[in-house]
Structures are given as structure tokens and as C-alpha cells.
């Protein structure tokens, strides 16, 4: 890299629009959407789509709700021509959808383009020619007058060819290519020359499309350019002002949103931002940004994963896992502090509440996603994420101190492996650590006596089967009293929690008991159809973890 990049690159000039109004504008309704996936997106693919893939993409765009779809460049190749003819001849275009085709400002290409649309009910024909100084000087070899004459003469050819097919409802569109690099007064001059030929009216509008063919500036300057054109174009009331942002600076979404605020009526772009170089404007991003602000975009992304699968199959390009709204990881938190906030917010939220969730700008369920992947556990995670997964997937409602205790167990495993743990792997680890599967219900009898509850039970300690008997104000107290004598250490219950999992005949109780065994404080967990049995198993779980009872599951087998 150069030490002084100013010696090679120049700063993009400001428009100087002192009374700009767009910064205070609020997007309160969606623009006219035009998908260019089948043309601009297609020409950017390593392997352009064949007709079956183009048709699948077209049908997906229709299902999403696009009413204007640029379907190809029919003069560019036989596949493009054949696809346009297939749509027209096989009546595959819904009545409320208008197809759009693109053509350069060259007479043979324009004639072939109109021919490709013969028999269409309604069509947008999109004319473009380059207008930027570098293109005028280096590529076309024309001065400003030559560019204006070229655009105006081709606009007249549009009128002549459209008149030869009166059964089609024609909409004309013009793009000063590389508008983003064209002097504003000259861009206005060229556009005005084209609309002077077409003479659009509020009842019969044309489309003027202003592309940031290369994104040269910060998006606020592009917005100034759009507002300047919006104010100064002649016949503005007869124009649908459209923009076609690219993403060379990575600010295509901002440029598109600012352009709407600055007076644009229409957006062209692609699903998930496909397109030349760094891509076109991501229409999904803009649409769902609106949705999260309470504005329905008029597009349906209720099954965003299916949309992504179709796009990946048709484009043969993957969508990045961090891509806004659709990536595999965009609703996932690994960070412990994030997970704790999400867990608490979910617990506090009630049906019908306004969506106000930390780290989740949109409800994944609105897009067909579940909450399954919202929290995932790796070495960066904490107790909140671990307890969320155990509760949401397996119904285990861990008390806070147990969350802290088990998170240390998980952290040890994560530090050793360095890998993510799934919800199932977390549950298996929890089950092993607390002996949910290995500890069997001890045989026991409970009776109410004059001194309180009396409990008799059988447990195996080491190689011995021991009969226990204790008295307390409840079964748990009596069992702890009996065990303390058997293991020769102090055992105290510090805290107790229980809840049910399931209902009816399949319901089970889960007990969480915090114990003080000698000098150690730790939890035991038990699960059983009977709440007393679950509690006794929880105590044995805690003792097993404290090594007061051997970890061999056979130690807890009932005596024969």
C-alpha cells in the first residue's frame, strides 16, 4: 500500500446540497421492488444459470411477491433469448407481474430485444448507455453532445418499435450507466433528453434508473446526488425514480435506504446481494430492515431458509453464515453475557409484547426459524446459555447456583476439547455428572410417627448393603439423618427446588438439592415419577459427587 494514497486516489467531491431534507425523512412505506437476480445477478455467476435454474428462481421471486422482475438480457445469448420466449409463449408470467429486459444503446440489440418480447402482455424495456467522463473519453470516444444524441436517438427507436407491437403494454426505462461517477448537471441533461422524447405523464410513467454502477462515495453523498436529481429533473411527475446500488464500499444497503429517504420510488437489487464484484443491493436486507421498524415491505420471507436454499442452488454460491437475517449464525449467541441477557428476556416476555429482545433485532420465528440455535455453547459461553438449552430442549429448570456449578463442569470439558457442545451433548454431560441414569430409586418406606416422619431405606455403600433408618420433619430430612450416620460425615440440606416435566401419565418430577457434605457444598439431582423418590435420588446424587458414596451405579441397587 502507498504511504500517501492521495498521490493516486482522489476524494469523491461533495454535492454541496446545503438544504438537504433526506436526513430527517422516515421510511414509512416500501418502494417498488425490482429483482435483477436473473440478469445482473446471473451475469455475475461463475456458471450462469441454465433455463431450469432461471425458471426456479423466477418462480421463487414471484412467490416472494416481486411484481417487477428483470428476467434477462435477450440479445446477449441464446439462453437469455430462449428463457424470455419460454416465459411469454408458455404463459408463465402472472397477470400482476411485469417482466423487464435490458439492452445496450445499440440499434441491432434494441431490435432483437423488442422481438424477444413479441406477444408479452406487459413489459419493461430497459435502455442504458455510459455517461461517466472516463467512459466518454476512454471507451466510447464521444463528447457530451454525442452521448446525449446517442441516448435520445435510441429513445426514439424505442417508441418506433413499441408502436409496431401495440398489443403489448410498454414501459420504458432509462439508466445513465455509471451515474455514480457522472457530473450531476450532465446526468440531468441526458435524462431530460430521453424523457423529452418519451414525454411521460403521471398516467403513463417511465422509469429513470440511477445506478451506483461503482460505489465511489459514502452513502450520504449518494443520497445527496439522488435528492439533487429528484429536485431538478424535468417531467418528474411522470417519472418513477429508481436506484440500482452496488456494494463496492460495503455500504450498498445504507445507500439504498438513504436513496429512498432522498426521493427514490423504486429499488433494484438481488436476493442476499448477489451481483458483479461485491454485489448489488441486498433487497432482503432492506426489506427486513423495514419490517423491524414496523413497515411491511410487501415481500414475504416467512420461510427464509427455503429462499436461501433456492438462491444457493440457482446461483451455485453459498450464503455467508453471518449474512444479515438469513445466515446460519445470525441469531446465535455464544457469549455468556449475551446468553444470560437473552435467557432473562425470554423468561420475562409475554405473548403480545412489543419485540424488545437483547441481541435479536427480529423474532426468528417471523422468518420461519426456531429458537433452537439462538443459544449455542462453546468455550466462550456461560451459565445462561447452558441453562437455556437444558430448559428449552429438555425441560430442566436449573436453580441459579446449580447453573454456576454445572457451567464449571462444562467449561472444563470445553477447555479440553475446544469444540462446541450441542444441546444433546450438554444433556448427556449433565446426566453423567449428576447420575440421572445411573442412580436407581432406593427401596424405602415412609411413615408418620409421634416424633415426625420416619423413613427406612436400603442403599449399598461400597460392598455393603446397608439398611438405614432416620427421623425428621419430612422424608428428605429423615433420609439425610440416616445417611449421615451411615457415611460418617455431616450432611445438611441447604436448598431445595423441584418441578414437573411433562403431564399426565408421563409426568416426572425433578428435584435439585443443594447439600453440605463435610466441608463441600454441591448439588445433587434426581428424576422420578414420584417426588419423594426423585428427592432421595437427588441426595444420593450429591453424595456420589462428594465421593461419600462410590460412583459405581451398583452401589445403589436395591437389596434382594
Amino acid at each position: 500500500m502507498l504511504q500517501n494514497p492521495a498521490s493516486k486516489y482522489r476524494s469523491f467531491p461533495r454535492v454541496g446540497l446545503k438544504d438537504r431534507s433526506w436526513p430527517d425523512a422516515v421510511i414509512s412505506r416500501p418502494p417498488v421492488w425490482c429483482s435483477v437476480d436473473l440478469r445482473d445477478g446471473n451475469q455475475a455467476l461463475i456458471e450462469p444459470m441454465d433455463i431450469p435454474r432461471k425458471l426456479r428462481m423466477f418462480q421463487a421471486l414471484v412467490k416472494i411477491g416481486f411484481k417487477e422482475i428483470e428476467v434477462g438480457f435477450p440479445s446477449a445469448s441464446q439462453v437469455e433469448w430462449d428463457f424470455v420466449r419460454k416465459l411469454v409463449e408458455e404463459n408463465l408470467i402472472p397477470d400482476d407481474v411485469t417482466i423487464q429486459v435490458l439492452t445496450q444503446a445499440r440499434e441491432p440489440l434494441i431490435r432483437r430485444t423488442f422481438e424477444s418480447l413479441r406477444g408479452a402482455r406487459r413489459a419493461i424495456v430497459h435502455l442504458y448507455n455510459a455517461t461517466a467522463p472516463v467512459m466518454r473519453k476512454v471507451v466510447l470516444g464521444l463528447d457530451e453532445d454525442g452521448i446525449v444524441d446517442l441516448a435520445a436517438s435510441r429513445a426514439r427507436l424505442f417508441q418506433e418499435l413499441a408502436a409496431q407491437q401495440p398489443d403489448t403494454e410498454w414501459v420504458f426505462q432509462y439508466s445513465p450507466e455509471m451515474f455514480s461517477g457522472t457530473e450531476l448537471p450532465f446526468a440531468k441533461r441526458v435524462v431530460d433528453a430521453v424523457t423529452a422524447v418519451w414525454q411521460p405523464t403521471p398516467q403513463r410513467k417511465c422509469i429513470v434508473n440511477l445506478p451506483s454502477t461503482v460505489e465511489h462515495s459514502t452513502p450520504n453523498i449518494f443520497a445527496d446526488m439522488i435528492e439533487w436529481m429528484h429536485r431538478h429533473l424535468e417531467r418528474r411527475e411522470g417519472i418513477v425514480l429508481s436506484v440500482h446500488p452496488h456494494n463496492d464500499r460495503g455500504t450498498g444497503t445504507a445507500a439504498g435506504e438513504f436513496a429512498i429517504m432522498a426521493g427514490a420510488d423504486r429499488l433494484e437489487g438481488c436476493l442476499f446481494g448477489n451481483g458483479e464484484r461485491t454485489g448489488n443491493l441486498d433487497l432482503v436486507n432492506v426489506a427486513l430492515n423495514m419490517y423491524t421498524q414496523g413497515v411491511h415491505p410487501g415481500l414475504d420471507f416467512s420461510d427464509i431458509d427455503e429462499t436461501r436454499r433456492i438462491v444457493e442452488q440457482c446461483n451455485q454460491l453459498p450464503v455467508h453464515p453471518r449474512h444479515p437475517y438469513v445466515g446460519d449464525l445470525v441469531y446465535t449467541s455464544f457469549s455468556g453475557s449475551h446468553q444470560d441477557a437473552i435467557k432473562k428476556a425470554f423468561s420475562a416476555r409475554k405473548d403480545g409484547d412489543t419485540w424488545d429482545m437483547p441481541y435479536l433485532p427480529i423474532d426468528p420465528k417471523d422468518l420461519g426459524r426456531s429458537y433452537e440455535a439462538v443459544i449455542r455453547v462453546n468455550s466462550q459461553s456461560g451459565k445462561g446459555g447452558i441453562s437455556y438449552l437444558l430448559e428449552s430442549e429438555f425441560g430442566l429448570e436449573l436453580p441459579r447456583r446449580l447453573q454456576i456449578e454445572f457451567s464449571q463442569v462444562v467449561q472444563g470439558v470445553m477447555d479440553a476439547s475446544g469444540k462446541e457442545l450441542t444441546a444433546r451433548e450438554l444433556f448427556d454431560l449433565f446426566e453423567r455428572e449428576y447420575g440421572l441414569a445411573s442412580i436407581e430409586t432406593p427401596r424405602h418406606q415412609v411413615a408418620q410417627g409421634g416424633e415426625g416422619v420416619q423413613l427406612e431405606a436400603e442403599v449399598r455403600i461400597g460392598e455393603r448393603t446397608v439398611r438405614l433408618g432416620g427421623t425428621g420433619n419430612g422424608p428428605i430430612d429423615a433420609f439425610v439423618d440416616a445417611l449421615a450416620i451411615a457415611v460418617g460425615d455431616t450432611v445438611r440440606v441447604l436448598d431445595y427446588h423441584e418441578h414437573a416435566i411433562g403431564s399426565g401419565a408421563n409426568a416426572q418430577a425433578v428435584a435439585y438439592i443443594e447439600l453440605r457434605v463435610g466441608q463441600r457444598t454441591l448439588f445433587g439431582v434426581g428424576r422420578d415419577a414420584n417426588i419423594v423418590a426423585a428427592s432421595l435420588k437427588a441426595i444420593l446424587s450429591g453424595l456420589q459427587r462428594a465421593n461419600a458414596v462410590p460412583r459405581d451405579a451398583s452401589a445403589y441397587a436395591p437389596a434382594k
Side-chain angles (χ1 to χ4, degrees):
M1 296 176 66
L2 299 174
Q3 292 301 312
N4 179 24
S7 66
K8 185 173 183 178
Y9 302 99
R10 64 179 182 273
S11 175
F12 196 85
R14 293 175 295 173
V15 176
L17 196 65
K18 301 300 183 184
D19 58 342
R20 63 181 61 83
S21 62
W22 66 263
D24 293 323
V26 175
I27 299 174
S28 58
R29 58 186 176 86
V32 177
W33 304 101
C34 179
S35 161
V36 295
D37 290 87
L38 291 166
R39 196 278 302 171
D40 198 344
N42 185 51
Q43 72 186 36
L45 301 179
I46 298 169
E47 180 184 329
M49 292 180 236
D50 55 19
I51 288 179
R53 283 158 58 202
K54 284 176 77 82
L55 183 59
R56 188 179 185 203
M57 177 71 85
F58 178 79
Q59 291 169 337
L61 294 168
V62 169
K63 184 177 180 181
I64 290 167
F66 285 96
K67 304 304 179 186
E68 296 183 2
I69 302 172
E70 191 167 75
V71 295
F73 202 145
S75 64
S77 73
Q78 192 62 44
V79 170
E80 298 289 285
W81 169 278
D82 290 343
F83 181 63
V84 174
R85 293 311 305 156
K86 180 180 181 69
L87 293 177
V88 174
E89 292 172 0
E90 297 183 20
N91 197 29
L92 298 175
I93 307 166
D95 290 342
D96 61 346
V97 173
T98 302
I99 62 170
Q100 175 175 307
V101 294
L102 181 73
T103 179
Q104 293 172 309
R106 294 168 55 190
E107 182 173 345
L109 303 184
I110 294 172
R111 291 185 180 277
R112 182 162 172 80
T113 299
F114 272 86
E115 186 62 30
S116 74
L117 293 167
R118 187 168 296 277
R121 180 191 56 80
R122 189 173 191 268
I124 301 169
V125 190
H126 182 182
L127 171 70
Y128 77 95
N129 64 277
T131 57
V134 66
M135 299 296 285
R136 300 195 305 257
K137 297 173 185 176
V138 177
V139 179
L140 300 177
L142 294 173
D143 60 13
E144 291 186 3
D145 290 342
I147 295 293
V148 172
D149 288 344
L150 173 67
S153 65
R154 299 310 184 255
R156 284 189 289 271
L157 181 59
F158 265 45
Q159 287 184 310
E160 295 170 12
L161 296 174
Q164 296 172 15
Q165 298 183 49
D167 292 336
T168 298
E169 180 184 347
W170 298 103
V171 178
F172 297 157
Q173 175 171 331
Y174 175 69
S175 287
E177 191 199 11
M178 294 190 71
F179 164 77
S180 52
T182 301
E183 314 94 314
L184 285 175
F186 183 62
K188 166 182 158 52
R189 181 186 171 195
V190 176
V191 171
D192 287 345
V194 171
T195 61
V197 174
W198 288 342
Q199 288 295 309
T201 67
Q203 294 73 37
R204 190 175 179 85
K205 295 185 177 185
C206 71
I207 300 169
V208 170
N209 186 57
L210 304 177
S212 59
T213 309
V214 177
E215 191 178 34
H216 289 299
S217 69
T218 53
N220 62 300
I221 292 179
F222 184 68
D224 281 352
M225 295 171 71
I226 298 302
E227 184 164 342
W228 191 94
M229 293 290 282
H230 170 59
R231 292 184 186 183
H232 291 91
L233 284 178
E234 296 179 12
R235 291 166 285 277
R236 176 64 180 92
E237 70 282 355
I239 292 172
V240 175
L241 190 61
S242 176
V243 292
H244 183 122
H246 277 248
N247 196 43
D248 298 271
R249 293 171 55 91
T251 58
T253 296
E257 291 179 328
F258 285 3
I260 297 173
M261 295 160 64
D265 308 304
R266 181 177 185 265
L267 289 182
E268 291 190 349
C270 291
L271 299 178
F272 312 127
N274 183 42
E276 294 278 14
R277 304 180 308 280
T278 57
N280 290 292
L281 171 67
D282 181 352
L283 296 184
V284 180
N285 203 346
V286 178
L288 293 179
N289 284 353
M290 290 183 191
Y291 182 81
T292 63
Q293 302 301 302
V295 178
H296 199 292
L299 301 175
D300 184 3
F301 295 107
S302 296
D303 190 352
I304 201 164
D305 287 331
E306 175 63 15
T307 300
R308 182 189 63 189
R309 283 190 288 271
I310 292 172
V311 170
E312 288 181 328
Q313 190 275 330
C314 291
N315 290 344
Q316 297 187 359
L317 291 172
V319 173
H320 196 280
R322 298 290 183 193
H323 199 102
Y325 297 111
V326 68
D328 282 334
L329 298 176
V330 295
Y331 306 114
T332 299
S333 288
F334 291 100
S335 162
S337 60
H338 291 195
Q339 293 174 343
D340 188 58
I342 292 170
K343 178 180 181 294
K344 289 174 179 175
F346 267 125
S347 298
R349 189 172 188 275
K350 300 179 179 64
D351 288 343
D353 285 354
T354 299
W355 186 257
D356 186 17
M357 296 289 292
Y359 309 112
L360 291 172
I362 194 172
D363 187 346
K365 285 192 173 180
D366 288 355
L367 305 181
R369 289 274 184 93
S370 70
Y371 295 142
E372 182 178 351
V374 167
I375 289 177
R376 289 163 60 176
V377 172
N378 66 10
S379 60
Q380 303 300 305
S381 305
K383 64 183 186 304
I386 294 166
S387 59
Y388 171 85
L389 288 178
L390 290 176
E391 180 175 349
S392 62
E393 297 294 317
F394 301 100
L396 297 175
E397 302 171 13
L398 276 57
R400 176 174 173 78
R401 287 193 296 277
L402 176 55
Q403 294 176 24
I404 295 170
E405 179 184 277
F406 183 58
S407 69
Q408 294 170 351
V409 175
V410 174
Q411 195 66 47
V413 173
M414 295 302 310
D415 288 344
S417 69
K419 296 180 180 178
E420 177 189 358
L421 287 180
T422 66
R424 166 52 66 180
E425 289 168 336
L426 278 175
F427 178 76
D428 290 345
L429 179 59
F430 186 82
E431 193 173 54
R432 290 194 302 273
E433 177 67 21
Y434 293 94
L436 292 184
S438 62
I439 297 176
E440 297 184 12
T441 306
R443 292 180 178 178
H444 65 279
Q445 290 182 336
V446 179
Q448 186 73 41
E451 299 180 1
V453 173
Q454 296 178 343
L455 180 141
E456 294 183 356
E458 290 181 349
V459 297
R460 184 174 294 174
I461 300 177
E463 298 298 322
R464 297 178 301 124
T465 298
V466 180
R467 286 187 179 275
L468 304 175
T471 302
N473 26 7
I476 295 174
D477 192 34
F479 191 55
V480 167
D481 176 59
L483 274 175
I485 298 171
V487 301
D489 209 342
T490 58
V491 180
R492 287 192 299 132
V493 173
L494 304 180
D495 202 5
Y496 173 85
H497 298 268
E498 59 89 11
H499 65 82
I501 297 177
S503 59
N506 296 321
Q508 286 201 317
V510 182
Y512 310 96
I513 296 182
E514 188 175 22
L515 297 172
R516 181 76 171 175
V517 182
Q519 300 302 310
R520 293 191 61 188
T521 299
L522 72 172
F523 272 87
V525 182
R527 181 181 57 195
D528 198 274
N530 179 277
I531 183 58
V532 172
S535 300
L536 302 187
K537 292 166 77 171
I539 294 168
L540 292 176
S541 164
L543 287 172
Q544 175 175 285
R545 296 184 65 239
N547 292 319
V549 176
R551 290 180 179 270
D552 184 353
S554 65
Y556 308 112
K560 296 182 180 178

